[in-house]
Amino acid sequence: MKKKFFILDGSSLLYRAFYALPLLESGSGEFTNAIYGFSNMLIKLLHDYKPDYLVIAFDKGKKTFRTEMFAEYKGTRKPTPRELLSQIPMLRELAEAWGINFVELAGYEADDILGTMANQAVAQGFAAYVVTGDRDALQLVKPDLHVLFTKKGISELVDYDEAVFQQEYGGLDPIQLIDLKGLMGDSSDNIPGVPGVGPKTAIKLIAAYSSVEQVLLHVEEIAGNKLKENIRNNQQQAVLSKQLATICLEAPVEFKTEECEIKINGDALVRFYSRYNIRSMLRAIKPFVAMAGDNAGETVAAKEAVAMPEVKKLQSEAEGQQLYDAVKKAGQIYIMCEFAGRVPHVEVKSAALSVANELYYVAVSGENSNGMDSLFALEENTAPAAWEYVKKLLADEAVTKCLHNTKGYYHAGVELSGKLYDMELIGYLLNPASSKYDLAELANSYAPEISAPGKDAKAEELLSWQVFVMNSISKDMTDSLEQQGMHQLYWDMELPLVRVLSDMEANGIYVNRQHLKEQTAEVGETIDKLQKNIYELAGREFNINSPKQLGELLFETLGLPVIKKTKTGYSTNVEVLQQLIDKHPIIQMILDYRMWTKLKSTYLDGVGGLIDADTQRVHTTFNQTVTATGRLSSSEPNLQNIPVRKEEGKRIRQLFEPGPGYDVLVSADYSQIELRVLADMSGDESFIRAFNHEEDIHARTAAEVFDVPMEEVTPELRRKAKAVNFGIVYGISDYGLSQDLDISRAEAKSYIESYFAKCKGVKAFIDKVVADAHTKGYVETTFGRRRQLTAINSSNFNQRSLAERMAMNTPIQGTAADIIKVAMIRAGRMLAEAGLKSRILLQVHDELVLEAVEAELPKVEEILKEAMEKAVKLSVPLTIDINVGKTWAEAK
């Protein structure tokens, strides 16, 4: 039996798969329906036909020798949908993971690669199979060369040999398909053919005369004056059409068996389908992974097939010693801890561990081996002795640790040394759009076959499952981190930052309870007064917080113009109210009422309940894995959303003071860091000159955009230029700018166009960033932080436009966020090395807040300037503003 060579028409099959299936998305938002369909077909081929050799051919580009012959060739085709376009690079990844050669050739189509390689294979004694959804390939059929044609999307294949072709095409030979195309043309490829000649007529003519050329020679014999005239008048067009339809069998490619072998990389396959969350494929590829013969792939396959091993409880010092010995021998430990309590009172409640594929569980505090909670039970439980051995391992420099939530260990007073792989941080870097990085979520993305325990699972079972998942996915995730070039970002920035953040959270910030009580009472009175005035203007009482009741009052009772409606009634959001502000005095009161009630509930009532009874401080949580740009956020309470330049924000900041033993609060704030980053990344001469000469950047922009001398820039022009500057940083649209400046959309558009015309470096930079995003599907910061933009090639205008704005602002915002992270790490280290008592308490976007001892102020300011202004070298200076005060408001 002859060996079988399969060559797949990747362009055609991916297209067919895309339209055969509804849009599917990965967990991080990439479109995957075409890849899913192509994978199904590939697996079916491998299972049903068992090819000995296989390659994928793909169109290299639109320009080929055919477009040189006829410029309009394929000219009527619609642009490739962006949702499909984004999956083409993924097909290359798929081919690499399967170990299948991916062949492209400039100047030629995939058809030419198919024809050339298939014919070469037949000439060398192989049976060749062309797999495609394009009927043009049927011309290739001959002995030992079959075409497997997709039918009903890609789920069914029709095996065309000569007999099947002849039965369908009236007894013609397959090669005569090119003559048919010469006469009847092909609308899908914009091959003109002869006007008025359809398939039936073409088959009849070729059956009678055998070829286009013979038809032209015998044109006078053809019945029907109109048909005869059409053929006579389009002879050259018929010959051209035949040439366009003819597959080139001499393309510069070569069939070599060693290059056409299928070399499955089991590990890469699992990574590929895990990354794109195509779970059914992970099950379908198991037999192929097992056949691959590479150890990594077999390990993964076995890991998925084998149930979670039995969990061994550590209940004695001797068992702790045995674990210690096993870990020292292995050199690595996987650990998942259950923490209890709020900062600064966190403790480890229990832990699950994995060593050399063995699972262990230890109850550390609050329960004994039987799960009983009592003082008596703790006295008899010797598990804490085993925990001491675990702590020794975690502090051992020579032991590599794979864990989750490193910050929890620091808060619980557990010393960590050596290499630390934090799955939460790595998961965040790999997919910053997710915002959820618990082990259950990571399992969904990287090991969906590992079934999660039920809802009623005990803590012991759940924790053990999590550490088992960690063991299973850690290599894939760390490999991906390395492949995407973010390993240095992890080691140099994100991991060291955990220690800084945990110290800041433990430090907390002191709140003056008496002032809090007074402010709460005052704001309560303000709210009551506003409510009373609103009722008077309304002529009745109603629920001000109810959008329905408020809408009825404004638009029905008071008769104000309706701006926007929702499914449930009238819209009363802040944008709507702002547009009505001059229509009735009640509007401003409602806005004030909303602002004060929000501040009271969030910061006055909220902060009061979060003051720790022992420290008298609020210990906010800094979230390192929430924003897609790399910025930090804070919660419980959120201290990053206090209004900056408003009186109400100042009143909130007055509550925060230096604690006992400290004299002042220090605020160190980067000056226009994002615009400085934009200047550096764009290389724009105007921006760089302005910053290097310490000019007012907004005035300089106003002078450029509005074409006036710097000394003639008015406050109003500066305000507009400032809005444009920051609008560019945040990827604002002309509509957004028009709303910010209360101008027409056309005027806003003219400002942006003028800005780009004068700031050519910025325009060129943004254009390149967006173009690269369309090609790569992601953008990066200066430090290599990556953000996937799954909708960047979407055919949906709104989705694509939003992704393009993200492409514009992410490198700028993300780089600025990275810089302040570097500054925090440097400042924290330098303060400690100097032996100072002064310490960092808060980070609020571009600002660091410290509490300091008066005598240390000169050294603190020196350290802050060194740490922050030299965090990174840009083409413009980084500068900070330092302010000192008895409250945060004074320091701000």
Side-chain angles (χ1 to χ4, degrees), residues 14 18 31 33-34 58 62 79-92 774-775 790 792-795:
L14 197 69
F18 177 79
F31 295 110
N33 60 321
F58 207 83
K62 291 182 179 179
T80 304
R82 295 182 183 274
E83 293 88 345
L84 172 57
L85 206 61
S86 65
Q87 296 183 65
I88 293 173
M90 293 161 63
L91 182 64
R92 293 186 178 91
H774 278 292
T775 302
T790 56
I792 192 71
N793 290 311
S794 172
S795 58

Side-chain angles (χ1 to χ4, degrees), residues 545-564:
N545 298 313
S546 166
K548 185 175 185 298
Q549 292 185 34
L550 179 60
E552 290 171 352
L553 172 82
L554 296 180
F555 305 114
E556 294 178 10
T557 305
L558 299 180
L560 298 180
V562 176
I563 304 296
K564 181 180 177 183

Side-chain angles (χ1 to χ4, degrees), residues 70 182 191-195 233-242 244:
F70 182 56
I191 295 176
V194 175
N233 292 339
N234 292 279
Q235 293 185 48
Q236 289 184 344
Q237 191 164 289
V239 173
L240 172 65
S241 296
K242 178 178 177 178
L244 292 173

